[in-house]
Every structure is written in C-alpha cells, then in structure tokens.
Amino acid sequence: MDGNGRWARRRGLPRTEGHIAGEEALFDVVNGALDIGLRWLTVYAFSTENWRRPPEEVRFLMHFNETLLLRRRDELNAKGVRIRFAGRRDWRVPRRVLRAMEEATSLTEGNRRMTLTLAFNYGGRAEIVDAVRALVSDGVADHKIDERAIRRHLYWPDMPDPDLVIRTSGEYRISNFLLWQLAYSELVFSEVLWPDFRSHHLYEAIAEYQRRHRRYGGVTA
Ligand code: IPE
Ligand code: MG
C-alpha cells in the first residue's frame, strides 16, 4: 500500500493525511475482492524498515492501525473475513496495538470467506530468520531441512503463495515483502498512489495476471 505520503504532499497536506485516505482504498479493495470471491488477500501495512521514519509518523501509524482495527473489525467479521497478522511482535509495537491485533484475530478466527493478512512490523528477511531460528529450536536435523521444512516454520504455513503481487505508486521493488512466498508470483506495477487505488484497479491487475503465462521454470506445450 505505497504512495500515501506522496498523495498527501501533492495536495499540500501532511503525510499522515495520506495514511488516513488509504483506509478508504483498503476497504474498497477488500470489498471488491470479496465480490469476486478472492480467498486470500495480504497487504503490507508496516515494514520492519518503517521504524526508520520520523518518530511522530511512526507513532501516528501505530495509533492509526490500532483505531482502524477497533473501528472496522466488526464490519470485517460480519463479512466473513478472517483477520491475521504477519510480522514480529517485538517490544517496539505498543502493547495497545498488540492487544487490538489479538482481539481482531480471535474475533474473526472462525471466518473462512476471506483471509486478510496484515503484514505489520513485517520483513521478508526477518520472516526467514525467524523460520531458521524456529527450525533450530525445534531441533530439526540438517538433513531434514528442505523447502517444506522451511515453509512449515514461516509465519503462516497454510497461506498459499501469492499468485499476484501488486505494487502501487510507480515503485519497481519488492521491498522485503514475502520474499520466500513470492518466488513465482506474477508482479504487477501500478502508477496509482495507494489512496487513489480502488477495486477496479485490482480487477485491472487481475486481468493483466490472466494474460500472463506461468511456467514455473518449465516449458509450455
Ligand atoms: C505507504 O505509503 C504506507 C506505509 C508504508 C505505512 P508511504 O508512507 O510509503 O508513502 P510514500 O511512499 O512516502 O509516498
Ligand atoms: Mg513509500
């Protein structure tokens, strides 16, 4: 969900207004995804690198995410959305935010219509490091370590690898998102700044995805 700061700056607003405007984009996309029966949606909300931002912006984002969960969890629950978080629950995440995350998770854990994973304090390299640590602390022998073993120790082993990754705001990077999982994902880059992103942009990206030929390193007949 990239481009909030630039969206705000272009309007002469503080960057935080871009984050606020991003909420409407997120819910338009979630609703649009529900309409077409998308089962898994993962959004990058806060990266392990975002702590480098000015403390006021970090503080704002923590509070904003907490209140967003409190305001919107019932609506998501009513729509059959299972809310999950991927990322590190370390000391930097305020306790109140962790509590809101836990409450949203337990409220919605029985839902199956869609799994909405919020990557929060998430880094793809950190996830792989955490998987390796978990393998070691489980005492997995070296000859038993294979791709399946690593996958089993990722944050959400049941989450299918993404078919499609959409990067907004005209940036052409992965920026530490789901590094293990997106080995064969199709990448679509959009010039649209996140606060302007709507479900029709999602559908356009899916249409582009449908024109791709996935070969997974093989050849097609
Ligand atoms: C993405 O928008 C939101 C978060 C990372 C929290 P940015 O804040 O990165 O917006 P730009 O990239 O500065 O425009
Ligand atoms: Mg950015």
Side-chain angles (χ1 to χ4, degrees), residues 1-6 15 19 50 53 57 167-169 171 173 175:
M1 300 188 284
D2 199 11
N4 296 352
R6 278 163 285 166
R15 295 176 47 83
H19 302 315
N50 285 149
R53 294 187 176 204
E57 185 173 347
R167 173 83 190 234
T168 58
S169 83
E171 303 286 3
R173 290 188 288 280
S175 298

Side-chain angles (χ1 to χ4, degrees), residues 7-91:
W7 182 93
R9 281 281 165 239
R10 280 182 201 174
R11 288 165 174 74
L13 299 168
R15 295 176 47 83
T16 47
E17 289 298 319
H19 302 315
I20 291 169
E23 179 175 342
E24 192 176 333
L26 176 60
F27 282 81
D28 198 76
V29 166
V30 167
N31 288 325
L34 286 167
D35 287 344
I36 58 168
L38 205 77
R39 302 290 309 280
W40 298 84
L41 179 64
T42 302
V43 294
Y44 208 170
F46 192 87
S47 79
T48 47
E49 287 68 43
N50 285 149
W51 298 105
R52 293 190 193 131
R53 294 187 176 204
E56 316 81 66
E57 185 173 347
V58 169
R59 225 179 343 256
F60 174 89
L61 284 168
M62 290 296 142
H63 179 71
F64 180 65
N65 279 293
E66 177 199 346
T67 55
L68 183 148
L69 287 172
L70 301 178
R71 280 185 285 107
R72 313 292 298 244
R73 64 188 182 190
D74 290 325
E75 168 191 345
L76 290 171
N77 188 39
K79 288 178 175 159
V81 175
R82 173 169 61 173
I83 304 169
R84 280 180 172 183
F85 296 88
R88 278 194 177 157
R89 316 232 159 165
D90 64 31
W91 55 273

